[in-house]
């Protein structure tokens, strides 16, 4: 921006530059873009001088105004070369030079033009001066010094265009102008270099004219003709001959120029040909090298693909090997731990102290072996990239407080102080179970290697990280071992006399688990003084990796440990006397050797005879048992005996537990039987697969007998709760029908009561009126018939049976609509379209409950002016009943949960969430299926498909288990 002082010193009309300089700019703009656009430019742009002022040749303007005008013209035209083009086009034109243009063309030369332009430059430019530094044939070096610093190169471009335009006076191309330095860019002056082609002097025509005139005068003097004729004719002949000579010279010059050009082009072509040959040779060599390299890369790629395939196959075989080894090792470990647990849970009078100590040592060693197997499997999953994280926010202070509780017993025993320091920190998003394993490992190591002093867990945070330090005063780590303690299978003390055991897996798992969370761990230690393990966890959710996310849950800010910590298994024994008795509660006292006749029936499906025998011994005091050795036998036994609960292994011959589970869930008679799966595989994916197939619970081997009994009891109680909830749902539907019945029976009941009074008066009067009495009796009979019809309809509507009967679907649906008619607003429409008149064989009462539930849902979903359409149609061997509404529809995220018990899309308190679940059970019981299609905001279609098979003797399976287990079976 121009300052106010500068504007005062250099007003727009300062006598610095003649307006003749701007005339070429304005004239060129008018020719290119029109006079109206130029006028509009001056109207809307804040120029200090008018267009009329600039068109007066005697006026002057300032250099700043010229720069401002040039900037506006370039911007308006959108052409960055506007200034040079304007100078070339009009600076040496008749419009700019007038009569001088023709005088220069006739008698001048380029050298004269350049000299005169520099000589008279002070008349149109009073702030700068030109200087001819070198003028040779067809070459000029020109410098320009300005007393006022120029701020824009637009004026430079204008000057170069003006000087380049001089050769155009003689019809030659503009001069080639280059700039070697510029004042705007910091130089002391602007220096321009011009090259051009000189015009040929046209003296031939004038010499011919002169010689013709002299010859004509001489001829007339010799009497060869009239003076006027001879002078004129010979002058014309001389001009023609001179013009021919000039033209010949011009053509010869052009030929020479063309020849020079052709020679230059030929030289260029030869050079280009040489370059092309060189490039061709280089290209051929390069293609050969690329082809050779491509072959090498292809071969290397093939080798890499083969190696990768082998590596993937090895990884797959290794994963399968670890899975199989896990299963094979966990099965005998299960038997060992279950047997030891069962023996240790007996009273202290059962075994002498040395025997009990041996049993405790065996139990602790088996638990330690199980922990090592779990660590190996975790390490394998990390290596294979199969680890998934369940992110949730965690308050580390509360988490660490609860985590330290089981370690305090051993810390007190070793006389080591165990402290937690630091205030509450910002919750971090982590996998709580895996972070629990990290700190269990670090704290157990600190206690293991500390014999006196204290172990401190310190919590702090900064802007980016939450820091947890586990500091001990133990034996410390040698400096040469610090770099390897986080490596797999590495030991800080690898000598044959090391005091502490370990596999070298724990800290490797800690490091890789923290790196999965985008955190880290460092260690500092001094031998003999202790160690400091520093854990960093990122704050916020940026580190959450979707490819590692297992699922979403509803976390709690402060969360205790998810599994009990066997601290004795984490710690290495220090000597033969270092044996601690685990705090194990005794099993509940069994009521007898055999369960009572009314106890629930449990089906045990297990291929291992030892585990099956152990389960038999554990369960038979409390439950009646059925046994099967594989999934196929278990499926047949479940379908035949209908047990109250099934306990099944996963990996079995003939038919696996998962296959049996899928078959049981597809059969109507066993669709709701509780099933607990037993497995030696601890991966989350295996558990998710079983639970997604319909398993009620998952129990990993090895397991505690008390835990198994507790889980069985919990499932049986949930079963009873489901039965009671289903009955409540049936009662709710019956209450809905009863309300309709009360609404319908009110009118005939009022008529009956109103007829009794006239009948009593007629009979008790002195003169009885037989006609009145007969009329009232007819009215009473009619009302009674209507009430009886409504009652029978209600009874048939809610009555259920176990034997299939023929059901007219149209009549059944119409009865349900009629039962709900009292709830329908006046503007609501229920449309019928029955295209299948064939009956289905089923339970009419249960089907009526389905129609009532579905119609009630449709009525609730639509407004007072909505439409519900009910239709039946035959498709193959099935009849399809569709109930369609134009209501609010169902949200997409709710579609997968519609048939889950206790899930409801209504507001809290408006439904039990059992309606659709019970409808699904009823339809499956009838041998059909039910599906829901919905688009949110546009309505819902419920499709019920029932078989049309004719089987009057078919017995329907029970809707829910009729057994009622006596609670409690045993008490904790």
């Amino acid at each position: 921006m121009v300052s106010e002082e500068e504007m005062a010193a250099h007003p727009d009309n300062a006598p610095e530059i003649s307006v003749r300089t701007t005339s070429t700019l304005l004239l060129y703009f008018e020719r290119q873009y029109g006079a109206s656009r130029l006028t509009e430019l001056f109207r809307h742009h804040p120029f200090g001088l008018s267009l009329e002022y600039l068109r007066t040749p005697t006026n002057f303007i300032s250099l700043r105004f010229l720069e401002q005008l040039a900037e506006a013209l370039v911007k308006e035209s959108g052409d960055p070369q506007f200034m040079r083009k304007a100078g070339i086009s009009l600076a040496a034109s008749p419009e700019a030079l007038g009569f001088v243009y023709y005088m220069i063309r006739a008698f001048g030369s380029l050298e004269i033009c350049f000299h005169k332009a520099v000589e008279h430059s002070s008349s149109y430019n009073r702030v700068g001066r030109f200087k001819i530094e070198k003028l040779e044939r067809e070459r000029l070096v020109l410098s320009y010094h300005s007393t006022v610093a120029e701020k824009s190169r637009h004026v430079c471009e204008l000057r170069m265009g003006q000087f380049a335009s001089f050769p155009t006076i003689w019809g030659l191309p503009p001069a080639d102008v280059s700039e070697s330095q510029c004042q705007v860019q910091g130089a002391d002056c602007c220096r321009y270099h011009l090259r051009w082609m000189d015009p040929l002097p046209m003296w031939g025509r004038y010499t011919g004219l002169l010689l013709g005139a002299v010859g004509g005068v001489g001829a007339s003097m010799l009497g060869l003709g009239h003076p006027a004729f001879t002078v004129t004719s010979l002058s014309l002949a001389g001009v023609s001959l001179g013009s021919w000579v000039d033209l010949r010279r011009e053509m010869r010059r052009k030929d020479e120029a063309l020849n020079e050009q052709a020679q230059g082009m030929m030289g260029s072509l030869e050079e280009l040909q040489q370059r092309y040959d060189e490039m061709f040779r280089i290209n051929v060599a390069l293609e050969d090298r690329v082809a050779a390299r491509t072959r090498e890369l292809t071969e290397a790629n093939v080798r890499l693909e083969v190696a990768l395939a082998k590596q993937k196959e090895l990884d797959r075989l290794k994963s399968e090997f670890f899975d199989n080894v896990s299963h094979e090792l966990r099965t005998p470990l299960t038997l060992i731990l279950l047997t030891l647990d069962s023996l240790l849970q007996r009273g202290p009078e059962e075994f002498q102290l040395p025997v009990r100590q041996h049993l405790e040592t065996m139990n602790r060693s088996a638990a330690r072996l199980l922990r090592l197997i779990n660590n190996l499997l975790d390490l394998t999953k990390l290596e294979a990239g199969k680890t998934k994280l369940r992110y949730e926010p965690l308050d580390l202070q509360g988490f660490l407080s609860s985590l330290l509780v089981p370690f305090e017993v051993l810390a007190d025993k070793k006389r080591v102080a165990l402290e937690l320091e630091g205030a509450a920190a910002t919750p971090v998003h982590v996998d709580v179970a895996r972070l629990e394993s990290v700190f269990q490992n670090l704290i157990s190591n600190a206690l293991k290697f500390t014999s006196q002093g204290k172990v401190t867990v310190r919590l702090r945070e900064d802007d980016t990280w939450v820091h947890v330090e586990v500091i001990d005063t133990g034996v410390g780590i040698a400096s040469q071992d610090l770099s390897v303690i986080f490596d797999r299978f590495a030991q800080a003390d690898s000598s044959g006399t090391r005091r502490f055991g370990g596999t070298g897996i724990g800290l490797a798992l800690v490091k890789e688990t923290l790196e999965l969370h985008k955190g880290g761990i460092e260690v500092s230690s001094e031998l003999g003084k202790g160690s400091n393990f520093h854990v960093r966890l990122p704050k916020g959710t940026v580190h959450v990796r979707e490819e590692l996310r297992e699922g979403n849950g509803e976390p709690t800010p402060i969360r205790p440990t998810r599994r009990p910590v066997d601290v004795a298994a984490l710690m290495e024994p220090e000597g033969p006397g270092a044996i601690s008795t685990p705090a194990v509660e005794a099993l509940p006292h069994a009521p007898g050797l055999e369960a009572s006749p009314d106890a629930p029936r449990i089906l045990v499906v297990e291929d291992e005879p030892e585990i099956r025998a152990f389960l038999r011994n554990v369960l038979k005091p409390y439950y009646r048992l059925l046994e099967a050795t594989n999934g196929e036998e278990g499926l047949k036994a479940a379908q035949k005996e209908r047990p109250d609960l099934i306990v099944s292994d996963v990996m079995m011959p003939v038919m696996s537990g998962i296959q049996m589970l899928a078959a049981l869930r597809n059969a109507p008679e066993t669709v709701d039987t509780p099933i607990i799966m037993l497995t030696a595989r601890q991966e989350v994916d295996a558990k998710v697969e079983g639970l997604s197939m319909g398993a009620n619970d998952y129990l990993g081997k090895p397991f505690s007998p008390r835990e198994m009994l507790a889980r069985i009891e919990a499932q049986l109680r949930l079963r009873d709760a489901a039965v009671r909830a289903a009955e409540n749902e049936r009662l709710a539907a019956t209450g809905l029908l009863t309300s309709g019945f009360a609404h319908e029976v009110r009118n005939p009941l009022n008529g009956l009561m109103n007829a009794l009074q006239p009948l009593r008066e007629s009979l008790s009067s002195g003169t009885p009126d037989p006609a009145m009495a007969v009329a009232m009796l007819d009215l009473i009979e009619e009302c009674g018939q209507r009430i009886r019809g409504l009652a029978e309809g209600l009874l048939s509507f809610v009555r259920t049976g176990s034997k299939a009967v023929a059901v007219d679907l149209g009549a059944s649906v119409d009865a349900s609509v009629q039962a709900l008619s009292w709830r329908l607003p006046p503007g609501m429409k229920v449309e019928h379209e029955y295209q299948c008149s064939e009956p289905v064989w089923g339970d009419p009462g249960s089907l009526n409950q389905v129609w009532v539930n579905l119609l009630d849902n449709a009525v609730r979903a639509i407004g007072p002016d909505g439409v519900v359409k009910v239709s039946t149609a035959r498709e193959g061997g099935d009849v399809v009943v569709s109930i369609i509404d134009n209501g609010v529809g169902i949200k997409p995220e709710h579609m997968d949960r519609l048939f889950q018990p206790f899930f409801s899309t209504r507001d809290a308190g408006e439904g039990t969430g059992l309606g659709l679940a019970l409808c699904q059970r009823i339809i499956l019981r009838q041998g059909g299926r039910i599906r829901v299609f919905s688009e949110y905001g546009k309505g819902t279609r419920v499709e019920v498909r029932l078989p049309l098979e004719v089987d009057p003797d078919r017995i329907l399976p029970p809707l829910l288990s009729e057994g009622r287990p006596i609670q409690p079976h045993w008490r904790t």
Side-chain angles (χ1 to χ4, degrees):
M1 297 292 295
V2 180
S3 62
E4 295 183 359
E5 294 79 4
E6 188 175 359
M7 291 181 63
H10 299 278
D12 290 344
N13 60 352
E16 296 177 350
I17 306 294
S18 172
V19 297
R20 288 178 291 178
T21 304
T22 64
S23 62
T24 57
L25 299 178
L26 302 179
L27 185 60
Y28 180 75
F29 190 91
E30 283 184 349
R31 287 187 176 182
Q32 295 294 323
Y33 307 106
S36 60
R37 188 170 174 182
L38 181 62
T39 305
E40 288 294 321
L41 174 65
F42 270 79
R43 181 180 297 116
H44 294 96
H45 203 281
F47 288 125
L49 301 176
S50 64
L51 191 58
E52 290 73 14
Y53 180 88
L54 297 178
R55 285 174 173 164
T56 304
T58 58
N59 290 336
F60 279 82
I61 58 175
S62 67
L63 177 62
R64 293 289 173 262
F65 179 82
L66 177 60
E67 291 177 336
Q68 182 183 5
L69 177 63
E71 182 71 27
L73 292 174
V74 171
K75 183 177 181 181
E76 181 69 19
S77 66
D79 184 4
Q81 298 294 322
F82 174 83
M83 300 299 290
R84 183 173 293 202
K85 291 178 180 179
I88 293 175
S89 299
L90 295 174
S93 63
E95 294 86 347
L97 299 179
F99 180 74
V100 176
Y101 171 84
Y102 299 101
M103 293 295 294
I104 295 174
R105 182 180 177 88
F107 303 105
S109 65
L110 274 173
E111 287 79 1
I112 295 175
C113 287
F114 288 129
H115 275 292
K116 293 299 182 182
V118 170
E119 182 181 343
H120 295 91
S121 62
S122 59
S123 63
Y124 60 84
N125 185 346
R126 298 180 179 178
V127 295
R129 61 184 181 84
F130 291 93
K131 179 181 179 181
I132 297 177
E133 297 182 352
K134 183 183 291 185
L135 179 59
E136 300 175 348
R137 185 174 182 274
E138 301 182 351
R139 184 181 177 190
L140 170 68
V141 178
L142 184 70
S143 62
Y144 173 76
H145 298 262
S146 176
T147 59
V148 179
E150 296 181 357
K151 298 183 178 181
S152 172
R153 281 191 44 81
H154 294 317
V155 181
C156 288
E157 294 289 333
L158 177 62
R159 284 195 292 269
M160 287 190 287
Q162 289 173 338
F163 279 100
S165 66
F166 286 170
T168 61
I169 297 175
W170 292 271
L172 298 174
D176 182 17
V177 183
S178 61
E179 187 178 27
S180 59
Q181 60 185 49
C182 180
Q183 293 181 100
V184 178
Q185 297 175 350
D188 58 344
C189 67
C190 294
R191 183 168 282 106
Y192 309 116
H193 299 263
L194 286 79
R195 296 184 66 86
W196 66 89
M197 181 186 296
D198 274 335
L200 285 174
M202 307 301 289
W203 50 265
R205 65 189 67 182
Y206 303 111
T207 302
L209 176 62
L210 179 60
L211 292 176
V214 172
V217 172
S220 63
M221 292 177 62
L222 294 175
L224 298 177
H226 192 273
F229 172 76
T230 56
V231 171
T232 302
S233 59
L234 290 178
S235 296
L236 290 175
V239 169
S240 300
L241 182 61
S243 298
W244 176 80
V245 172
D246 288 341
L247 182 59
R248 182 178 177 83
R249 289 173 56 240
E250 181 70 21
M251 292 297 295
R252 186 180 295 114
R253 179 176 178 178
K254 288 184 178 180
D255 288 342
E256 292 175 356
L258 288 175
N259 289 333
E260 291 178 1
Q261 244 179 0
Q263 290 176 0
M265 291 181 64
M266 289 299 297
S268 299
L269 285 175
E270 291 176 359
E271 185 177 355
L272 287 174
Q273 182 65 37
Q274 293 176 357
R275 296 285 179 87
Y276 173 77
D277 294 340
E278 293 175 3
M279 292 298 295
F280 180 77
R281 289 192 296 270
I282 294 173
N283 189 38
V284 170
L286 184 60
E287 287 179 352
D288 293 339
R289 292 179 61 187
V290 169
R293 186 60 177 166
T294 302
R295 286 194 298 271
E296 294 176 3
L297 291 176
T298 303
E299 294 172 359
N301 190 36
V302 170
R303 290 194 297 270
L304 285 175
E305 288 179 354
V306 172
L308 180 61
K310 289 182 179 179
Q311 185 63 39
K312 288 182 179 179
E313 180 65 17
L314 288 175
D315 290 341
R316 185 187 65 80
L317 292 175
K318 183 172 66 175
S319 299
E320 291 181 358
F321 168 75
F322 274 102
D323 288 343
N324 295 333
V325 167
S326 168
H327 182 268
E328 296 302 325
L329 291 178
R330 286 175 188 274
T331 298
L333 269 177
T334 299
L335 291 171
I336 293 172
L337 287 170
L338 290 177
T339 303
L340 291 172
D341 194 17
S342 178
L343 292 173
L344 289 171
Q345 287 169 358
R346 299 182 182 181
E349 69 282 353
E350 191 76 19
F351 302 106
Q352 295 181 0
L353 180 60
V355 176
R356 189 170 186 84
Q357 288 179 342
H358 286 308
L359 290 176
E360 290 172 351
T361 302
M362 294 167 63
N363 187 38
R364 187 166 59 251
S365 298
R368 180 185 168 206
L369 181 59
L370 177 63
R371 184 165 62 93
L372 294 177
I373 293 173
N374 290 337
N375 284 343
L376 280 172
L377 289 175
D378 288 342
L379 194 64
T380 304
K381 287 200 298 181
L382 281 171
E383 187 179 21
K386 296 181 179 179
T387 301
K388 300 296 181 183
L389 302 179
R390 184 182 292 272
Y391 293 102
E392 50 189 282
L394 177 68
D395 178 4
L396 277 175
Q397 188 185 45
F399 169 77
L400 292 172
S401 298
S402 62
L403 186 67
L404 291 178
V405 171
F407 289 99
E408 292 175 353
V409 177
L410 285 173
D412 293 340
K413 176 189 169 186
K414 297 187 68 173
R415 302 181 184 277
V416 174
L418 181 59
E419 301 176 354
L420 174 63
E421 297 180 357
T426 304
V428 291
H429 282 74
V430 294
D431 186 318
V432 178
R434 296 191 179 276
L435 202 67
E436 183 180 301
S437 176
V438 166
F439 287 111
Q440 280 183 359
N441 205 311
L442 294 177
I443 296 170
S444 66
N445 280 349
L447 287 174
K448 181 194 301 184
F449 293 100
T450 303
S451 56
Q452 60 182 358
K454 66 177 180 179
V455 174
T456 304
V457 180
R458 184 175 299 155
L459 175 65
R460 59 186 176 87
E461 67 175 320
D462 54 30
D463 294 338
T464 308
W465 305 92
V466 175
H467 304 267
V468 181
E469 296 177 87
V470 180
I471 308 169
D472 65 69
T473 58
V475 297
I477 306 170
S479 57
Q480 66 269 19
D481 295 327
L482 288 176
S483 60
V484 298
I485 61 171
F486 294 113
D487 294 342
R488 296 178 182 180
F489 312 114
Q491 287 286 334
D493 181 8
S494 58
S495 65
T497 60
R498 60 194 179 110
R499 294 172 50 199
F500 304 98
T503 60
I505 297 176
L507 289 179
L509 277 175
V510 166
K511 181 175 182 292
E512 297 190 22
T513 301
L514 290 172
E515 288 177 350
L516 275 181
H517 289 83
K518 293 296 184 181
I521 182 170
E522 295 90 22
V523 60
S524 59
S525 181
E526 187 175 350
L527 200 61
K529 294 186 178 181
S531 304
N532 182 349
F533 286 86
H534 179 193
V535 173
R536 293 178 292 106
L537 292 169
K539 298 167 72 172
T541 59
V542 177
H543 67 283
V544 175
R545 299 163 63 182
E546 293 300 326
E547 72 272 14
L548 295 182
R549 183 188 291 273
E550 179 202 342
N552 297 320
E554 295 296 333
T556 54
I558 300 177
R559 180 159 188 160
T561 57
R562 296 191 176 187
R563 55 186 180 276
V565 183
D566 188 357
V567 180
L570 292 173
M571 300 290 294
E572 295 291 340
E574 297 181 2
I579 299 176
S580 61
T581 303
V584 182
E585 297 183 7
L587 269 175
H589 180 68
L593 296 179
E594 299 290 341
S596 61
D598 60 343
R601 292 191 304 162
I602 305 293
L603 172 61
V604 177
V605 187
E606 172 62 62
D607 61 318
E608 291 287 341
E610 295 87 354
I611 295 183
R612 193 168 63 250
F614 184 85
L615 292 175
R616 184 190 311 120
N617 293 332
V618 172
L619 299 177
K620 70 180 180 180
Y622 312 101
Y623 307 104
R624 293 179 292 161
L625 296 182
L626 303 169
E627 296 183 17
T629 60
N630 57 60
E632 186 177 21
E633 292 182 7
L635 178 61
K636 294 178 180 178
Q639 292 174 339
K640 179 180 179 181
E641 301 294 338
R642 307 282 179 81
D644 295 293
L645 184 139
I646 300 174
V647 177
S648 173
D649 192 13
V650 172
M651 299 179 68
M652 295 182 295
V654 184
M655 176 184 286
S656 70
I658 296 295
Q659 293 172 332
M660 183 192 71
L661 172 64
L664 291 173
R665 288 297 179 247
N666 289 330
E669 60 272 14
T670 57
V671 68
D672 59 346
T673 303
I675 301 175
I676 298 177
M677 306 299 294
L678 303 177
T679 181
R681 298 179 62 188
Q682 295 295 322
E683 293 85 353
V684 174
D685 293 342
K687 297 180 180 180
V688 169
E689 179 186 6
L691 294 174
S692 64
M693 294 292 292
N696 298 82
D697 204 348
Y698 225 91
L699 196 57
K701 298 177 183 178
F703 52 84
S704 166
R706 288 181 58 84
E707 183 181 6
M708 167 166 281
L709 291 171
R711 289 177 184 261
I712 291 175
E713 192 67 19
Q715 290 301 324
L716 290 174
R717 290 178 180 178
L718 287 174
R719 168 79 169 179
D720 292 344
V723 172
R724 290 192 294 271
E727 291 299 330
N728 292 337
E729 185 69 18
R730 294 176 67 88
L731 290 175
T734 305
L736 187 63
L737 297 177
T738 305
S739 300
F741 172 78
H743 180 79
E744 294 293 333
V745 83
R746 185 177 300 153
N747 290 332
L749 184 60
N750 289 335
L752 187 148
M753 297 301 296
N754 292 334
L756 287 176
Q757 184 64 27
L759 177 61
R760 181 181 291 109
E761 293 176 354
S762 175
L763 294 177
S764 62
S765 64
T767 56
D769 186 353
M772 174 64 73
V774 171
M776 292 300 100
L777 287 173
D778 290 339
L779 179 59
I780 291 172
E781 182 179 8
E782 180 185 355
C783 292
Q785 292 289 348
R786 290 176 61 187
I787 293 174
R788 184 174 68 179
L790 289 172
E792 289 178 351
L794 178 62
L795 289 175
S796 64
F797 201 88
V798 299
R799 185 183 294 117
T800 61
S802 60
K803 186 174 181 180
V805 298
V807 180
D808 184 347
L809 288 179
S812 177
V813 175
D814 284 342
S816 301
V817 174
Q818 183 63 31
L820 290 174
S821 60
W822 64 278
R823 292 195 57 193
L824 303 181
M828 185 177 294
K829 297 180 181 179
V830 179
E831 301 177 354
H832 307 269
E833 185 180 354
Y834 301 145
Q835 299 179 1
C836 180
S837 58
E838 300 179 51
V840 298
W841 289 80
D843 179 14
S846 298
L847 288 177
N848 287 336
Q849 184 176 357
V850 172
W851 312 139
V852 168
N853 276 332
L854 298 182
L855 288 169
D856 183 54
N857 286 342
V859 170
R860 290 174 182 268
I862 62 179
D865 299 327
V867 177
V868 178
K869 182 178 180 181
V870 183
S871 65
T872 62
R874 177 166 183 169
E875 293 185 6
D878 298 334
V879 59
V880 178
V881 181
S882 300
I883 299 177
I884 307 170
D885 67 72
N886 61 349
V888 296
I890 304 170
K891 295 181 179 180
E893 59 267 25
H894 294 161
M895 293 296 295
D896 293 337
R897 304 177 61 193
L898 291 178
F899 296 105
Q900 293 180 6
F902 309 110
F903 174 76
S904 176
T905 59
R906 302 177 189 172
D907 295 334
E910 294 188 6
T912 63
L914 288 172
L916 285 178
L918 190 58
C919 288
Q920 186 184 48
R921 291 179 183 272
I922 292 172
I923 297 302
L924 289 174
R925 178 173 176 255
Q926 309 282 339
R929 60 178 179 170
I930 180 172
R931 294 190 296 176
V932 178
F933 307 91
S934 181
E935 186 174 354
Y936 189 60
K938 294 187 178 181
T940 304
R941 175 170 65 92
V942 182
E943 177 186 287
V944 177
R945 186 178 295 268
L946 295 169
L948 285 170
E949 59 183 0
V950 179
D951 187 4
D953 298 325
R954 181 161 66 99
I955 303 298
L956 298 174
L959 179 61
L960 291 166
S961 175
E962 302 299 332
R964 293 290 187 274
I966 299 175
Q967 305 292 343
H969 306 300
W970 53 273
R971 299 182 182 276
T972 56

